[in-house]
Amino acid sequence: MTAPELSTGGQAAAENKSELFKLFAKLMSNPYNKDTNPTGIINAGVAINGTIKDLLVSKLNSLDTPFVASDLEYSVPQGTPALRGEIAAAINRHFAPASDVGCDDLVVTNGCTTAIEMLAFATCEPGDHILVPAPLYLALPVDMGTRARAKMTPVHVPLGMVGETAQIEFFEHMVAEIAGHGGSVKALFLMNPNNPLGITYPRAVMREFLRFASRHNLFVISDEIYALSMFRHNAAPFESLLSWADLSDYIDPAAVVVLHGLSKDFGLNGFRIGWAVVPWNKQLLAALLAYAPFAFIPSYTQRLLTQLFADHRFIDSMLETSQANLADNYADAASFLYVHEVEFVQASGGHFIWFRMPISACAKMLGHSNDAPELTWTRELEYQMTLHLMDEYALYMPPGQAFFSSDFGWFRFTFAICREELDIALKRLEDAL
């Protein structure tokens, strides 16, 4: 007797063994706690805004929101009108949209992960490609490919060209290469501010991205999850695509979707709430509404968050506090890297710094002298260093290969952790250098 076979998609999912998830499991098996496990692993890898954690816990505990009978029932799958109305109000206050966003212009999902997957289903046939500038957000292959079976396709852009319009040539080359193999590109996925680089794209670069997408009839998914985590204002300013009054000069607005959510700017990763803003494409909006029952949010959670977001004064003040705290933490982390002569990308938004581990730290790990000849970073050494940092220095930072970096030795360091943990993390990193 033999068991029936899984589908092709089911078999692919079952065989997917992510090294990153193994690292995360290792972290969660020994997490730092100042009281119960002070020698545990500091999490400087997951992007979570710990700088406002105490503020949020205090506020949430102050809300008089006991359970009521309706919390035991199904709610509206795309988000209650009240919750969507408060989210729209926050967008209108902070994203400077060219036209006000209404509650019927967005769909609320259980995290941006689900919103990304829904968009992959709605825009792609299985096997179609979604182009993403690399290095890139490490979960995108899972979000786009596990069930929707779209192909997340990295387009490697040299770091020195990330802020230049000339990078479009790499995207043109990729479209041609895919077409030459009989494939099809359906969307361009942009993170702005960028994860993992922490930079914002200049308006001139965004214009060229839009023109490129228009030439090839692509959807543009603008993931703006870090939009309200800007902290260094002498760099390229962040401008939501919702704010572009001249958007139609570069692309049909019906091709554009904007993503945002609670996890990053609002420090509420565990609540699993994201949203897709679709003001210009009623057919796409209808598709997302049809998918919404697969992304239900608990009734109580929706009611609690509606009450939280209805306090506009608190939300706006919290965002100001968050940006100030992020600026302070970033300044200290960047100063540390300067002092230790570590190469890094100057960030202006987000929760992390993209830096290159000195090869001398690799030599130290291997027991070589600092002037060991011909020692260079490889994929294997980068992963070995990640494990070494966890085992010997109780510090977790994901390696560049997890972000599809084509240049080894880079790591993403999350500085948006609470102040005490940041100080410990920097001390442990110093010991490793």
Side-chain angles (χ1 to χ4, degrees), residues 297-308:
I297 301 155
S299 301
Y300 177 79
T301 303
Q302 296 200 54
R303 198 162 58 83
L304 177 66
L305 290 172
T306 300
Q307 187 175 351
L308 174 66

Side-chain angles (χ1 to χ4, degrees), residues 250-305:
Y250 311 106
I251 193 171
D252 184 342
V256 176
V257 184
V258 171
L259 299 179
H260 196 241
L262 293 185
S263 293
K264 309 308 178 185
D265 294 335
F266 300 102
L268 294 168
N269 295 45
F271 274 67
R272 306 307 304 130
I273 305 289
W275 47 85
V277 187
V278 193
W280 304 296
N281 191 324
K282 298 306 179 187
Q283 184 185 36
L284 178 56
L285 182 64
L288 298 183
L289 290 173
Y291 298 149
F294 298 97
F296 256 113
I297 301 155
S299 301
Y300 177 79
T301 303
Q302 296 200 54
R303 198 162 58 83
L304 177 66
L305 290 172

Side-chain angles (χ1 to χ4, degrees), residues 382-403:
E382 184 184 86
Y383 190 76
Q384 185 179 345
M385 173 59 75
T386 307
L387 295 174
H388 178 69
L389 289 169
M390 298 180 80
D391 292 336
E392 300 299 325
Y393 299 98
L395 179 63
Y396 170 61
M397 300 179 297
Q401 61 192 263
F403 301 90

Side-chain angles (χ1 to χ4, degrees), residues 203-219:
R203 188 178 182 89
V205 172
M206 290 299 294
R207 276 199 300 264
E208 293 309 311
F209 275 134
L210 296 174
R211 286 172 171 149
F212 160 79
S214 182
R215 282 195 299 275
H216 296 284
N217 197 29
L218 308 181
F219 285 94

